[in-house]
Amino acid sequence: QARLGGVPQHLRCSCASVRMVLTRPPLAVVEAGAVADARPACRRPGRGRVGRTSRAVLRPLVISVLLGLAVVSALLSSHGTPPFVGVRFSAEGRLRHLSQVARHAVQACEGEAFIDDAIKTSAEAGPAVLVLSFSTTWCGPCKLMDPKVTQLSDDFDGKARFIKIVGDKDPDGLQLMKRYGVRSVPQYHVYKGGNKVAAISGAKYDELLGTLQEHASA
């Protein structure tokens, strides 16, 4: 007060304000103290211990899994190739082989000369029974009968020869259908010894099977 005696009134107010600011605790210190006091209130008791316990339990499990994977990898590498891969490949090879046999069991038409030679062969050499299967690419019943005819070719292997004639696809297909009077498909012409013994029109599996049993089994 003594020092401020000769100071003008407006400067006295400013000096008093400065003194109050200088004597007040810094705001950062107060806020830091408030934050430091608030943190323990927000922390859940025992939370740190639970986290440490979970990590302590999971760590051995993770290590065990990694060790197991390493052992399996070492075993597989020692054999050169995984054991199940060979099984899968062998199964695929077997299926591929069966599909190739099925394709070759029923031969595709190669033209009129091919059919004439097949009929001639049935009269001179074996097998004595020849089945001409007439169909088209758009025929639904033909597609239903195809796997059944393929099965018949396997069942009568060595006893009957099967040739499939697709009228709108194979060479001379339409000419052969006109030549043999085929107006509906599927149709099956059965030859024995070079002579036609049956003509089956429609998807009649039982009738075709009976004809083959009668002529190819004799």
Side-chain angles (χ1 to χ4, degrees):
Q1 295 295 335
R3 294 180 181 180
L4 297 178
V7 180
Q9 183 66 30
H10 65 281
L11 293 179
R12 293 180 183 179
C13 294
S14 299
C15 292
S17 300
V18 170
R19 185 169 61 252
M20 292 177 62
V21 171
L22 291 176
T23 57
R24 181 179 301 175
L27 181 60
V29 175
V30 175
E31 292 179 352
V35 173
D37 295 339
R39 285 179 181 174
C42 297
R43 182 181 300 174
R44 295 181 181 178
R47 186 175 181 180
R49 291 192 298 272
V50 173
R52 288 193 295 271
T53 304
S54 300
R55 289 193 294 270
V57 173
L58 291 177
R59 187 177 294 110
L61 294 177
V62 173
I63 294 174
S64 300
V65 172
L66 293 177
L67 289 175
L69 292 176
V71 171
V72 172
S73 178
L75 290 175
L76 294 180
S77 61
S78 64
H79 288 285
T81 56
F84 296 105
V85 174
V87 175
R88 179 171 60 85
F89 287 166
S90 62
E92 290 178 355
R94 176 63 178 169
L95 292 175
R96 190 180 301 110
H97 173 71
L98 291 177
S99 63
Q100 292 176 354
V101 171
R103 284 197 299 268
H104 291 297
V106 180
Q107 295 178 294
C109 175
E110 299 179 7
E112 286 189 87
F114 178 77
I115 298 300
D116 293 339
D117 182 71
I119 296 174
K120 182 179 179 181
T121 301
S122 67
E124 298 176 353
V129 176
L130 171 67
V131 179
L132 300 181
S133 173
F134 293 91
S135 65
T136 58
T137 57
W138 46 263
C139 174
C142 300
K143 296 178 181 179
L144 294 176
M145 284 290 293
D146 282 345
K148 298 180 180 180
V149 174
T150 301
Q151 183 61 46
L152 288 176
S153 68
D154 293 337
D155 296 340
F156 291 90
D157 184 24
K159 299 179 180 180
R161 180 183 180 185
F162 291 75
I163 300 178
K164 183 178 180 180
I165 304 172
V166 183
D168 57 342
K169 178 183 177 182
D170 292 338
D172 301 330
L174 293 177
Q175 290 84 341
L176 287 169
M177 293 181 71
K178 292 180 180 178
R179 172 180 170 181
Y180 293 104
V182 178
R183 298 183 179 181
S184 63
V185 289
Q187 194 167 134
Y188 307 95
H189 293 188
V190 183
Y191 290 79
K192 183 176 182 180
N195 299 317
K196 183 186 294 186
V197 295
I200 302 169
S201 180
K204 301 175 182 178
Y205 171 78
D206 294 335
E207 186 174 349
L208 178 59
L209 174 60
T211 301
L212 289 173
Q213 289 175 342
E214 178 183 354
H215 298 283
S217 300

